[in-house]
Amino acid sequence: MVDHPFTDLTLAALYDSLNPWGPADDFYLGLLRDAHAVLDIGCGTGRLLRRARAEGHTGRLMGLDPAAAMLVQARRARPDVEWVLGDTRVRRWEAEFDLVVMTGHAFQELVGDEEIRHCLRAVRAALGDDGRFAFETRNPAARPWERWVPERVHEITAADGTPVRVWHEVLEPLRGGRVRFTETYDGDGWPTPQVCHGVLRFLDAGTLEGFLAEAGLVVTEQYGDWERGPLTPTSPEIITMARRA
């Protein structure tokens, strides 16, 4: 299943405004600069690959996403990048990439054990012998969902100048490692707000390492923030670098 905000053209067009470029993007862009062939799983609007190409990256850049509306944004901006509609089940790659990334907490969209296992097996197959896999998840010990409350409203501006307000509300906090929530969009002049339902999976570092090991991957580095600080119980992120075992 693809979350509704990513399938609606109007909402997909708001994604980059709602998620402005930040330290996480700088972190991944630094990795891309040193890689010749890159696969971005769950690339969304393709912002990371688009920036890399705009900076002069001449290697292979492939973005994979199951939401057609997000890839519309990507293709419009950079037709000189490979954009593929689907998930890791649509193709099989054999040692074709020296870097695979999952950014924007895309890994947490894998809510079932088998989804995680299939994705990680595909990542391992896609990596060359010296390839690296980089991704991040929110640290469940930091309990970030407790800040997803309707009172925290984000206001952005659509391409036509319309102000749009976005807020979240948790429906079910951390049951079976999953958090269920709503994301509501309300724009001036819209007949009604659009309410989207979502589920995210939260895994601790040990469980992540177990899934990676099962897929034939080994953790090489792990950080708690985008400045490469150590992973602690209060760290906001679990940023993981892995390679083929």
Side-chain angles (χ1 to χ4, degrees), residues 2-164:
V2 182
D3 287 347
H4 178 65
F6 305 149
T7 63
D8 184 290
L9 284 170
T10 300
L11 301 186
L14 300 173
Y15 182 85
D16 286 349
S17 296
L18 188 59
N19 300 277
W21 189 275
D25 303 285
D26 289 330
F27 176 92
Y28 286 110
L29 185 60
L31 300 179
L32 261 71
R33 291 186 179 120
D34 296 328
H36 178 70
V38 181
L39 172 62
D40 185 351
I41 299 174
C43 67
T45 62
R47 178 173 62 186
L48 181 65
L49 300 185
R50 286 158 37 200
R51 175 70 71 89
R53 187 68 88 207
E55 286 192 355
H57 194 292
T58 59
R60 184 184 184 189
L61 299 177
M62 176 181 286
L64 176 71
D65 201 276
M70 299 293 269
L71 291 186
V72 166
Q73 313 299 318
R75 290 192 179 103
R76 283 175 179 169
R78 295 300 309 199
D80 55 349
V81 172
E82 294 180 70
W83 305 112
V84 179
L85 178 63
D87 57 25
T88 52
R89 293 170 291 190
V90 301
R91 289 193 189 178
R92 180 171 177 83
W93 299 277
E94 294 290 347
E96 298 177 36
F97 299 95
D98 47 13
L99 177 66
V100 176
V101 298
M102 292 184 74
T103 72
H105 303 106
F107 192 87
Q108 291 187 255
E109 300 281 346
L110 305 171
V111 297
D113 287 0
E114 285 309 309
E115 289 179 89
I116 294 172
R117 291 185 177 111
H118 186 281
C119 179
L120 292 178
R121 287 195 297 266
V123 167
R124 187 188 186 284
L127 288 173
D129 289 340
D130 297 321
R132 295 188 295 170
F133 174 41
F135 68 103
E136 91 285 343
T137 63
R138 298 175 183 88
N139 185 0
R143 303 180 68 82
W145 58 86
E146 293 180 348
R147 297 184 292 277
W148 301 351
V149 294
E151 292 76 18
R152 296 185 65 180
V153 178
H154 304 274
E155 184 163 317
I156 56 177
T157 304
D160 63 0
T162 301
V164 178

